Every structure is written in structure tokens, then in C-alpha cells.
Amino acid sequence: MEYKDNLLGVVETIFKWKKIIVLTCLATGIGAIITVLVLPVYYESTTVFYAASPDLATPESIFGGSSIAPDYYGTGNDTERLITIAESGELVTHMVEKFNLYERYDIDPDEPLGAYNVRLKFNTHYDVIKTKYDAVELSMEDEEKEIAAEMANAARDYIANSSVQLVKNSQKKLLTIFQQNLKSKQSQLDSLNKQLLNVRKKFGVYNTDAQSESLSELLAKAESRLYNSQAKLESLRNTGGRRDTINLLVANIKGYENEIEKLGERIEVFNNGMAKVEMLQNIQEETSKILAEDREHFKQIQAAYQTDFPSIMLVEAAPIPIVKSRPKRTLIVVASVMLAFIFSVIGILIIDTYKDVDWKKITQLDKW
């Protein structure tokens, strides 16, 4: 009875070739055991951290100038920025130099592909991901457990410092812009002060309120003396007063008239200059106010630039691992034996199914 077209035929074939299958699985298992025993053992250390908010670097947050409470944890964009730094070539270069990875990975730095190979080797032991809770998880493998933890923490510190440096560079550029702006406004203010000084000298305007009041008072007194002297002169002429007294009053009246004329000219010049002085004073005061505000803002940014601030919120530092991360020896051996069994069965079934086929005859037919 033929069972080749059903499950019993398959079982029968497997049973018939059982020794070959067992020997194949046994040989594969022994080979896998020998292989995993010579494989290097790696330890993995992991550090977890969150992105800190860049708002912590602003003057408002540092000096409390804002009524809105700052966010301490960064957004998704801040997390992506940290991951971008973590995956950058600069980090790999830093780690290669800090831990002498050419020697550690037994790679010749003078080879044409030396730099490429050391980066490739590093990336096989290095991993950084964003967790479902929006934290950054950085892992590092090495054959020495202490080195694995040290490298993971060093990579995290580099990411934190680089993130801070990005903000510092932005602040430095802003400080440069503010310095240029302050110089420009200071030059503008100096020019205004010079113009104001020249206008004051030209028109004699130094204190508009006090001088205006004083000139008006002097004019009023001069006019009062003039009117009084004119009244006395008219009275003396009508009553036949002494000649020398009349002549004195005439001289006084002439003096008062000259005084009033000069005061009128002075007031006219003063009024012409007062408008210009007030305009320049207003511009000067506004420019001085803006300049003072900009200087204060500059000082705050400068203080923020010189102040340390966190770029990450550390959840867990990379500990020294206790158990190895790979190789999983038992899993490798079991998987190898199972694959050997599966491929052995498939091969045997194929051989047994087509063993009666005359391949020579089929080959000859193909030639025709």
C-alpha cells in the first residue's frame, strides 16, 4: 500500500531515514555548541533620559521675568533633536577617540576603510531609540561590563553637552547681534547729544520751562517800568516839572524801550530754538530708554549664556550589567537543531519522492 500522497507516507519516509535525520541534527547540535562556546560574550548597559525644555535656558526662566511657569520637560521635537545628536557622526568620532576603539575593535586606522569599519563596528554595539513614553533609551554593548556602562554614560553626557552647546551657540549669535545693535544705538545717541548741544548753544536754550518763565517775567517787568516811566513823564510835563528830572525819565524810557526790544528778540530766538530742542530732547529720551532696555536685555542674555542649564532629565544612569546580553547559547543551539531537522526532513522527502525518476532520460528528451 502506497502512502506517499498522504501523511502516513511522509511519516513512513521520515521513519525510514530516521538515522540520517538524527545524525544530521546531532552533528548540527555539536557544531552549534562548539560555535557558541567560542563566540565572544557581550554585556549591554542602558541609560534612560528625557529631553529638557529649552525654555530653561531663557532669561525669563532664569530670572523669573515671565508670569508663565516654564516647562521642565521638552516636547517631541526636543526629543528628536537629542536622537539626531545621538545618531550623528560627531558622537561616533568622540567615542572612537575617547575609548580608542581602533585598538579595542582591532582595526587598523591606516587602512583605506579603517574609519568606515570602526564606525560600522561601533554601530553594531550601539543603539538609541525613543520609547513609547517619549524617553530616550541609549544602549551600549562591550565585552567588558564596566566599559559598557562607561561608554553608555559617556555617550549620554556627550548628547547632553552637545544639546547645551547648540543653545549656547544660538545665544552667542544673539549676543553678537545685540552688541552690534547697542553700538549702533549708542552712536545714534552720541550724535543726538552733539546736535542737542549745538542747538542749545546756538539758541541759548538750556531749560525751556525755567527760561521761558524767566524771559516772560523780565519782559513783563520791563514793560511795567516803561509804562510807569511814561506816565511819570507825562505827568511832569503837564505840571511843569523840573527839566533835569524830565530828561532823566526820557533817558530811562529810552533804556526800557531798548531793553524790551532786546528781550523781544531774545524771546523770538528762544522760541525758534525751543521747538528744536524739545524735539531733540524727546528723541534723545526715547533713544536712551530703548538703549537702556536693550542693555538690560543684553545683560540677561549674557548671564543666561554664562549660566549652566540642563538639556536632559536623567531617569536612569547606565549601570554595570550583571548578566550577558549575548550570545544566547541555548537559543542558538536549539534553533540550529530545529532548522537542521526541518531542512533534513524536506531534503529527504524530496529525494524519496523523486528517487524513481529517470533523470538521464529526461535530460536526453530535453536535448531533442
Side-chain angles (χ1 to χ4, degrees):
M1 184 176 180
E2 293 291 336
Y3 299 107
K4 292 184 179 180
D5 294 333
N6 54 45
L7 186 58
L8 291 176
V10 173
V11 173
E12 181 183 1
T13 301
I14 294 174
F15 187 76
K16 183 171 63 175
W17 293 82
K18 63 181 182 296
K19 290 184 179 180
I20 299 297
I21 295 174
V22 170
L23 289 174
T24 302
C25 292
L26 183 61
T28 302
I30 293 173
I33 291 172
I34 294 173
T35 301
V36 297
L37 288 176
V38 298
L39 287 175
V41 176
Y42 288 97
Y43 295 89
E44 184 180 71
S45 185
T46 301
T47 178
V48 181
F49 52 93
Y50 280 96
S53 174
D55 292 343
L56 298 177
T58 60
E60 292 78 12
S61 297
I62 296 174
F63 300 104
S66 175
S67 58
I68 302 175
D71 293 327
Y72 291 96
Y73 290 94
T75 62
N77 291 334
D78 301 318
T79 303
E80 294 296 334
R81 183 178 65 253
L82 293 182
I83 293 177
T84 300
I85 297 173
E87 295 177 345
S88 66
E90 285 78 5
L91 181 139
V92 180
T93 301
H94 171 75
M95 297 296 288
V96 169
E97 294 175 354
K98 182 176 179 65
F99 293 94
N100 194 14
L101 296 186
Y102 280 107
E103 181 179 347
R104 190 164 194 81
Y105 294 153
D106 194 22
I107 297 174
D108 186 0
D110 297 326
E111 291 182 356
L113 296 178
Y116 171 78
N117 290 331
V118 75
R119 288 173 180 269
L120 191 64
K121 184 72 172 179
F122 173 81
N123 288 328
T124 60
H125 300 300
Y126 173 75
D127 186 37
V128 59
I129 61 171
K130 179 181 177 181
T131 69
K132 62 180 180 180
Y133 302 109
D134 291 335
V136 179
E137 185 178 276
L138 186 151
S139 302
M140 192 72 215
E141 276 188 339
D142 195 80
E143 295 182 31
E144 296 183 32
K145 57 181 71 176
E146 293 83 3
I147 296 297
E150 186 178 349
M151 290 180 71
N153 288 323
R156 183 202 64 233
D157 292 341
Y158 178 85
I159 294 168
N161 293 334
S162 296
S163 181
V164 169
Q165 194 59 44
L166 287 175
V167 178
K168 293 288 187 184
N169 290 339
S170 298
Q171 290 176 335
K172 188 175 182 179
K173 291 180 181 178
L174 189 60
L175 284 173
T176 302
I177 294 173
F178 260 94
Q179 282 180 327
Q180 295 173 349
N181 190 33
L182 287 173
K183 287 181 180 179
S184 176
K185 288 184 178 179
Q186 183 62 55
S187 177
Q188 182 181 357
L189 183 61
D190 292 341
S191 177
L192 283 171
N193 290 334
K194 188 175 181 179
Q195 291 181 44
L196 183 59
L197 180 62
N198 292 334
V199 171
R200 287 184 187 278
K201 288 182 178 180
K202 181 178 179 180
F203 295 98
V205 180
Y206 299 97
N207 188 324
T208 55
D209 293 335
Q211 285 184 274
S212 177
E213 183 178 352
S214 176
L215 288 172
S216 298
E217 185 177 349
L218 289 175
L219 181 61
K221 288 182 179 179
E223 289 177 344
S224 177
R225 288 195 294 270
L226 174 62
Y227 297 149
N228 186 35
S229 296
Q230 288 176 341
K232 286 182 179 180
L233 177 61
E234 184 177 356
S235 176
L236 287 174
R237 282 176 176 174
N238 292 332
T239 58
R242 295 176 59 184
R243 186 71 181 172
D244 56 347
T245 303
I246 293 174
N247 290 336
L248 178 62
L249 286 174
V250 171
N252 288 339
I253 290 171
K254 186 64 176 177
Y256 294 146
E257 288 176 345
N258 290 334
E259 182 181 2
I260 291 172
E261 183 180 356
K262 295 295 183 182
L263 282 172
E265 293 174 355
R266 178 71 186 90
I267 290 173
E268 183 179 359
V269 172
F270 177 82
N271 289 335
N272 291 334
M274 185 174 64
K276 294 182 179 181
V277 169
E278 288 181 346
M279 179 188 69
L280 289 173
Q281 279 183 331
N282 291 334
I283 297 174
Q284 182 198 43
E285 290 175 1
E286 186 66 24
T287 303
S288 299
K289 181 180 179 182
I290 295 174
L291 183 60
E293 291 175 353
D294 287 349
R295 280 176 176 166
E296 183 63 27
H297 200 185
F298 174 79
K299 290 179 181 179
Q300 290 182 349
I301 297 175
Q302 191 175 43
Y305 176 73
Q306 296 171 350
T307 302
D308 292 330
F309 62 90
S311 62
I312 65 171
M313 298 293 184
L314 182 61
V315 176
E316 180 182 6
I320 297 176
I322 299 175
V323 297
K324 67 180 186 298
S325 59
R326 62 186 176 96
K328 305 293 185 182
R329 293 191 172 97
T330 302
L331 181 62
I332 293 174
V333 172
V334 172
S336 299
V337 172
M338 290 182 64
L339 288 174
F341 174 78
I342 292 171
F343 285 113
S344 297
V345 170
I346 293 174
I348 287 170
L349 290 175
I350 293 174
I351 293 172
D352 190 72
T353 301
Y354 296 99
K355 67 180 180 179
D356 296 330
V357 176
D358 189 353
W359 296 103
K360 185 176 181 181
K361 183 177 179 181
I362 294 174
T363 305
Q364 291 175 348
L365 289 175
D366 288 342
K367 290 181 180 180
W368 291 97

